[in-house]
Amino acid sequence: MSALAERHPSAGFRKRHVRLRRAGHPWNHKRVWRVYCTLKLNLRRQRKRLRALRPPQPLVQPIRPSDAG
């Protein structure tokens, strides 16, 4: 499993379980999850930081149709 983690670092538990099954390992998902957690591969995703909200600005209307701004 650690070799799979090195080759595919962004793959999650489900994809790794499918790859192990296709490779011929008869392990069920509970055993794979236990090993997955033991190897500390179950790191939580980092959330994006929230930006400070800016007050809404009124839209500027052009004086003439060809006036861009």
Side-chain angles (χ1 to χ4, degrees), residues 38-52:
T38 305
L39 294 174
K40 297 191 178 177
L41 298 174
N42 59 335
L43 299 176
R44 289 183 156 261
R45 292 182 186 176
Q46 292 183 355
R47 294 184 61 193
K48 292 184 180 181
R49 293 183 194 168
L50 296 176
R51 289 189 190 179

Side-chain angles (χ1 to χ4, degrees), residues 3-69:
L4 272 177
E6 288 177 14
R7 273 188 273 148
H8 306 283
S10 63
F13 163 72
R14 301 254 181 230
K15 285 188 180 180
R16 289 188 184 150
H17 177 249
V18 169
R19 285 180 190 268
L20 286 171
R21 293 291 292 215
R22 287 182 184 165
H25 297 286
W27 304 329
N28 63 3
H29 68 279
K30 292 177 279 189
R31 176 179 280 187
V32 174
W33 177 252
R34 189 172 63 237
V35 173
Y36 186 78
C37 292
T38 305
L39 294 174
K40 297 191 178 177
L41 298 174
N42 59 335
L43 299 176
R44 289 183 156 261
R45 292 182 186 176
Q46 292 183 355
R47 294 184 61 193
K48 292 184 180 181
R49 293 183 194 168
L50 296 176
R51 289 189 190 179
L53 296 175
R54 289 187 264 163
Q57 300 292 326
L59 293 176
V60 179
Q61 290 184 344
I63 298 170
R64 287 178 270 148
S66 62
D67 191 14

